[in-house]
Amino acid sequence: MKTGKTVKVLLTAATAAGMLAGCGSKTDTDTFRFASELDIQGMDSTVVDDGMSFNAIHAITDGLTAVNEKGKTAPAIAKNWDVSDDGKTYTFHLRDAKWSNGDKVTANDFVYSWRKIIKDAGNYAYMLGNGGASVKNADALMELGANATDEQMATLGVTAKDDKTLVVELENKVPYFTDLMAFPCYFPQNEKFVEKCGKSYGTKPEYTLSNGAYKMTKWVKGNKATFTKNDKYYDAKTVATKNLEMYLVQDPKTAAQNFDNGKVDYATINSTLVDKYKGKDPFTTFNEGYLFYLQVNFKNNTVANKNVREALAYAINRKDLCENVLKDGSMAATGFVPSQLSTSPAGRDFRDDADKYVSYDQKKAQQYLDAAKKELGTDTITIDLLYGTDESPMDTMAEYLQGSFTKLKGLKVNMVATVKKDRIYNREANGNFQVVCTRWGPDYADPTTYLNLALSDNSNNYGKYTSAKFDALMEQIQKESDLTKRWDLMVQAEKVMMEDMAYIPVFEKGSAALKAKNVKGLVVVPVGTPYTFKYVKLK
């Protein structure tokens, strides 16, 4: 974000010839129909941590800042702000905005939600601390969690000076701070409404409240969510499309069929469908922003052996996987921080300054495996490969890796299939895995959104990788105000974790989608909340 170039894709109407029959076009200009393979897990911004829920929450909620029609960070609920000379105090001046029930959006709405996510130990609470915004006392309060008193919570560095003035104090200077404010975990919540709803908040349309472009009117989990333009939205004049429909848990094949039959206007597709649509008018690709990688369990003796991890890393022909299997614009990963995420003060992409840490070499892979077998005192090493079948293309990746790994003499692979929810919140969270296919999408456009995952105390470090040297470098990064020095430290930090092969990067995810020719203004960014629906126009 502000530390470098934000990579963006603004999807506009295609004009090339050769459209497929149907191709999702329609005469109705009041409803945009969006198909997703994923479900909406919830509508409470202090609880959820998945991209589809973020898309839905973003459709009905604005934060202090938001993504504009060009994919750039712009003022939202905050009409402007002042920054102290040391860069550690932000004073946000709020515009006249209302919730859909008529209540005013106030500075306290932010104070309440920020305290709430910390006290309730929300999955993204760490983003308020040094893992993200570096809000004063956030880390200390996270240690206390639900045990924190009201007096202690009042020490969090966020204060409502009055209804229209929000003051945020930081522990350290954060170059990308205003970009972070567009992320859902920093969104406001109406205290009176939320407390009245209790545990039901965010579980049904009647338990949601909007201050954004749309308001939620219907929601059947695993099926469909419907949104209607919010007339009380401060920027309602910009919202050109009256209704938004999200078709949920539609596998790519079904979504593509519905697109061809004119039942949806936008649908992502997987690699098996690319050849059918590539070169046709509705087909488009873009950088999705996700890094797909392998996480290993360092509590497991087999994969705790570095030679085993090196063997797995060298056994993967990433270029072949991306170009001949995925075929959706994905690119072979060379490190843990993806390309096109951010640029240095000198204007260079992180991957241009960092080394290449993974590549394909079958001979080296076998040599490392042979060394591992000798160290472990065995002729055969068995790997359990965990993956989710409902998070395309994770299954495709897992099958490809199985084929790659079993080419090595003395390596067996057990495929452990599950679903995303079980993979993350049960198996990974409880350390019940050996090697797992996983992914991470950047919450903000800075290398630390990936590097933080390797911190010893990061809640997403399910594999329990630990490195005192890495942790020390990350602490330096948090405190370094010189942006050039900070950049160099981040390059060093990635070097440490990758030389340990803390994670095994596989590919940077591209995405292929079908978009009706009358759709304009759908903003897709690879950082933060993927989709912004506010600017969609149907002509």
Side-chain angles (χ1 to χ4, degrees):
M1 291 183 177
K2 294 302 183 192
T3 54
K5 181 175 66 176
T6 298
V7 183
K8 64 181 186 298
V9 179
L10 180 61
L11 299 183
T12 55
T15 56
M19 290 183 64
L20 296 174
C23 69
S25 61
K26 65 183 189 337
T27 56
D28 177 14
T29 59
D30 288 335
T31 304
F32 175 59
R33 302 162 304 170
F34 176 91
S36 173
E37 187 179 10
L38 303 174
D39 201 2
I40 298 171
Q41 299 300 322
M43 294 294 289
D44 185 342
S45 58
T46 67
V47 173
V48 299
D49 63 355
D50 64 290
M52 192 58 210
S53 296
F54 286 161
N55 287 328
I57 291 170
H58 180 41
I60 71 168
T61 318
D62 268 13
L64 292 167
T65 62
V67 172
N68 66 14
E69 65 272 22
K70 295 182 179 180
K72 297 288 188 179
T73 300
I77 297 299
K79 60 183 178 182
N80 54 54
W81 50 86
D82 304 312
V83 186
S84 62
D85 290 341
D86 65 1
K88 294 183 181 180
T89 301
Y90 286 75
T91 303
F92 292 95
H93 307 284
L94 309 190
R95 68 176 73 247
D96 291 328
K98 290 184 178 181
W99 293 99
S100 50
N101 67 353
D103 289 352
K104 292 181 179 179
V105 179
T106 69
N108 184 68
D109 296 333
F110 292 92
V111 175
Y112 170 72
S113 66
W114 290 19
R115 289 180 181 177
K116 180 172 177 274
I117 194 172
I118 289 178
K119 194 153 188 175
D120 293 350
N123 290 326
Y124 265 93
Y126 75 91
M127 285 282 283
L128 270 72
N130 284 328
S134 194
V135 177
K136 185 178 179 180
N137 291 330
D139 285 321
L141 290 168
M142 275 185 271
E143 291 290 328
L144 297 172
N147 295 320
T149 64
D150 290 343
E151 290 78 15
Q152 288 171 322
M153 288 305 302
T155 67
L156 183 67
V158 54
T159 307
K161 189 174 180 181
D162 54 48
D163 281 355
K164 292 290 188 67
T165 311
L166 182 75
V167 180
V168 182
E169 298 172 271
L170 309 183
E171 299 272 9
N172 304 294
K173 184 177 180 180
V174 179
Y176 46 87
F177 181 77
T178 54
D179 298 306
L180 284 175
M181 294 302 99
F183 196 69
C185 69
Y186 306 103
F187 283 179
Q189 290 187 355
N190 182 306
E191 181 175 6
K192 183 180 178 180
F193 180 85
V194 175
E195 293 298 320
K196 183 179 180 181
C197 292
K199 292 183 179 179
S200 295
Y201 177 69
T203 61
K204 294 181 179 180
E206 58 265 36
Y207 300 130
T208 66
L209 200 61
S210 167
N211 75 350
Y214 293 92
K215 53 186 179 181
M216 183 180 245
T217 53
K218 294 180 182 178
W219 177 22
V220 179
K221 289 203 72 172
N223 184 273
K224 182 182 176 183
T226 303
F227 305 79
T228 303
K229 181 177 177 179
N230 176 18
D231 291 334
K232 290 187 172 65
Y233 182 44
Y234 69 87
D235 196 24
K237 65 181 184 301
T238 300
V239 184
T241 304
K242 184 177 180 180
N243 303 304
L244 167 65
E245 294 178 350
M246 295 182 181
Y247 291 81
L248 308 170
V249 198
Q250 286 206 347
D251 66 85
K253 184 177 180 180
T254 300
Q257 289 174 342
N258 286 335
F259 180 88
D260 288 343
N261 293 330
K263 294 180 180 179
V264 297
D265 306 305
Y266 183 90
T268 53
I269 59 174
N270 60 13
S271 55
T272 60
L273 295 166
V274 168
D275 289 340
K276 177 180 178 181
Y277 293 98
K278 195 171 185 178
K280 304 297 184 181
D281 191 41
F283 182 82
T284 184
T285 61
F286 54 92
N287 177 13
E288 195 171 275
Y290 283 96
L291 176 77
F292 279 63
Y293 61 98
L294 293 178
Q295 182 167 229
V296 302
N297 190 342
F298 280 80
K299 298 296 184 182
N300 178 275
N301 288 334
T302 300
V303 291
N305 182 288
K306 187 170 183 286
N307 284 323
V308 171
R309 303 195 300 278
E310 292 283 4
L312 297 180
Y314 275 113
I316 307 168
N317 188 337
R318 295 164 179 81
K319 183 178 180 182
D320 177 60
L321 171 62
C322 292
E323 295 182 0
N324 299 319
V325 179
L326 299 175
K327 298 182 287 188
D328 57 3
S330 294
M331 298 186 297
T334 60
F336 196 62
V337 176
S339 60
Q340 301 179 11
L341 173 69
S342 62
T343 53
S344 71
R348 289 173 57 82
D349 188 280
F350 188 87
R351 291 262 54 91
D352 292 333
D353 286 338
D355 289 338
K356 294 182 179 180
Y357 296 106
V358 289
S359 59
Y360 173 60
D361 191 319
Q362 189 77 6
K363 185 177 180 181
K364 281 188 177 181
Q366 189 65 57
Q367 290 172 346
Y368 276 110
L369 185 68
D370 291 342
K373 288 189 292 184
K374 186 175 181 181
E375 289 175 350
L376 295 171
T378 181
D379 292 330
T380 304
I381 289 175
T382 301
I383 296 296
D384 293 334
L385 186 62
L386 175 67
Y387 66 100
T389 58
D390 61 340
E391 41 186 339
S392 179
M394 203 72 80
D395 49 354
T396 303
M397 168 184 167
E399 291 167 5
Y400 186 88
L401 295 181
Q402 179 188 31
S404 299
F405 296 156
T406 52
K407 290 178 183 177
L408 300 179
K409 295 178 181 178
L411 181 63
K412 292 184 178 180
V413 180
N414 290 330
M415 301 294 280
V416 184
T418 185
V419 294
K420 180 181 179 181
K421 190 173 182 179
D422 179 61
R423 172 180 72 81
I424 299 174
Y425 303 112
N426 178 23
R427 309 243 185 167
E428 289 186 54
N430 294 311
N432 183 22
F433 70 96
Q434 188 181 40
V435 181
V436 58
C437 297
T438 188
R439 66 177 188 173
W440 186 259
D443 301 327
Y444 50 95
D446 185 78
T448 56
T449 193
Y450 283 95
L451 298 176
N452 284 337
L453 294 174
L455 284 166
S456 301
D457 60 354
N458 188 283
S459 60
N460 293 291
N461 182 0
Y462 298 120
K464 305 304 179 185
Y465 165 74
T466 59
S467 167
K469 185 177 181 181
F470 177 83
D471 289 349
L473 280 168
M474 292 301 291
E475 187 174 352
Q476 283 183 263
I477 290 165
Q478 290 170 2
K479 296 177 180 178
E480 183 56 66
S481 58
D482 183 301
L483 296 184
T484 299
K485 290 180 180 179
R486 181 177 180 275
W487 186 265
D488 293 339
L489 287 169
M490 290 190 290
V491 171
Q492 292 176 42
E494 189 200 39
K495 181 180 177 68
V496 170
M497 64 172 287
M498 287 309 304
E499 287 185 344
D500 288 342
M501 203 53 71
Y503 299 98
I504 302 174
V506 180
F507 65 91
E508 300 173 11
K509 180 72 170 65
S511 190
L514 304 176
K515 178 181 63 65
K517 70 172 184 177
N518 63 328
V519 174
K520 290 186 176 182
L522 176 63
V523 182
V524 187
V525 294
V527 176
T529 306
Y531 291 94
T532 295
F533 303 100
K534 172 180 175 178
Y535 304 101
V536 171
K537 294 181 181 179
L538 304 174
K539 293 184 177 181

